[in-house]
C-alpha cells in the first residue's frame, strides 16, 4: 500500500524526515507539496506522476479537510479501493505506517485507527 502525504508547503517532506528518524526509512511514503501558484490540476498531475496512475491501495494523508490537497486526493481516489484521511500529524503517520504493514486495504487502516488518541487536552480542575 502506498501512503501519500500531501500538504500545503513542504510539510509532507518534513513529516517523512521526522518519522524516518523514529522508525526508519519506508519506501511506501510519497510526499506531495502544494506550492503557491498551484491548483487542483497541478496536484492531480503530481498524484498521477508519483503513483504511475495507480488508484487502488493508496492512502492519502492530507493536512486540512476541504483544502486543495484533500479535495484533489478525494477526486483522485473516488470510486476506488483507496481512502483519504485528513489532519495528518507525526503520531498519526506512525500509526498508519504500522497498520499498513498489517492490514490489506486503506479502508481497513482507517477503521483500525484510534482517532481519540490524536487529539488531547488538559482539563483545568
Amino acid at each position: 500500500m502506498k501512503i501519500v502525504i500531501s500538504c500545503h508547503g513542504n510539510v509532507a517532506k518534513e513529516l517523512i524526515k521526522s518519522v524516518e528518524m523514529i522508525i526508519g526509512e519506508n519506501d511506501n511514503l510519497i510526499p506531495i507539496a502544494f506550492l503557491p501558484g498551484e491548483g487542483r490540476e497541478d496536484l492531480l498531475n503530481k498524484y498521477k506522476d508519483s503513483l504511475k496512475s495507480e488508484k487502488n491501495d493508496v492512502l492519502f494523508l492530507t493536512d486540512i479537510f476541504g483544502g486543495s490537497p484533500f479535495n484533489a486526493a478525494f477526486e483522485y481516489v473516488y470510486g476506488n479501493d483507496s481512502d483519504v484521511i485528513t489532519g495528518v500529524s507525526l503520531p498519526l503517520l506512525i500509526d498508519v505506517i504500522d497498520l499498513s504493514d498489517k492490514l490489506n486495504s486503506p479502508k481497513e487502516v482507517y477503521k483500525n485507527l484510534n482517532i481519540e488518541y490524536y487529539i488531547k487536552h488538559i482539563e483545568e480542575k
Side-chain angles (χ1 to χ4, degrees), residues 1 3 5-6 15 23-25 33 42 53 60 63 66 72-73 75 80 82 92 94-95 99 101 103 105 109 113:
M1 172 183 331
I3 301 169
I5 301 96
S6 183
L15 272 173
I23 62 174
E25 288 187 30
D42 297 301
S53 296
F60 282 84
D63 53 359
E75 182 178 337
N80 297 294
S82 293
L92 175 68
I94 291 169
D95 282 352
L99 289 170
D101 289 340
L103 301 171
S105 78
V109 169
L113 286 172

Side-chain angles (χ1 to χ4, degrees), residues 90-101:
L90 192 55
L92 175 68
L93 180 55
I94 291 169
D95 282 352
V96 164
I97 291 167
D98 181 55
L99 289 170
S100 70
D101 289 340

Side-chain angles (χ1 to χ4, degrees), residues 1 3 5 7-8 12 14 18 21 43 58 67-68 70 79 83 89 96 98 100 118:
M1 172 183 331
I3 301 169
I5 301 96
C7 303
H8 292 78
E14 296 305 320
S18 296
M21 288 174 56
L43 281 168
V58 177
S68 295
F70 173 85
D83 211 343
S89 65
V96 164
D98 181 55
S100 70
Y118 306 106

Side-chain angles (χ1 to χ4, degrees), residues 40-111:
R40 183 185 58 79
E41 282 299 320
D42 297 301
L43 281 168
L44 285 170
N45 287 331
K46 287 181 182 184
Y47 297 161
K48 289 175 189 173
D49 292 344
S50 295
L51 295 165
K52 299 176 182 67
S53 296
E54 179 181 328
K55 290 193 175 187
N56 290 310
D57 294 325
V58 177
L59 181 56
F60 282 84
L61 302 177
T62 66
D63 53 359
I64 301 171
F65 178 78
S68 295
F70 173 85
N71 292 336
F74 184 79
E75 182 178 337
Y76 186 83
V77 304
Y78 185 78
N80 297 294
D81 187 26
S82 293
D83 211 343
V84 182
I85 298 173
T86 189
V88 67
S89 65
L90 192 55
L92 175 68
L93 180 55
I94 291 169
D95 282 352
V96 164
I97 291 167
D98 181 55
L99 289 170
S100 70
D101 289 340
K102 300 172 186 170
L103 301 171
N104 294 329
S105 78
K107 293 183 187 322
E108 287 299 312
V109 169
Y110 173 75
K111 289 177 188 175

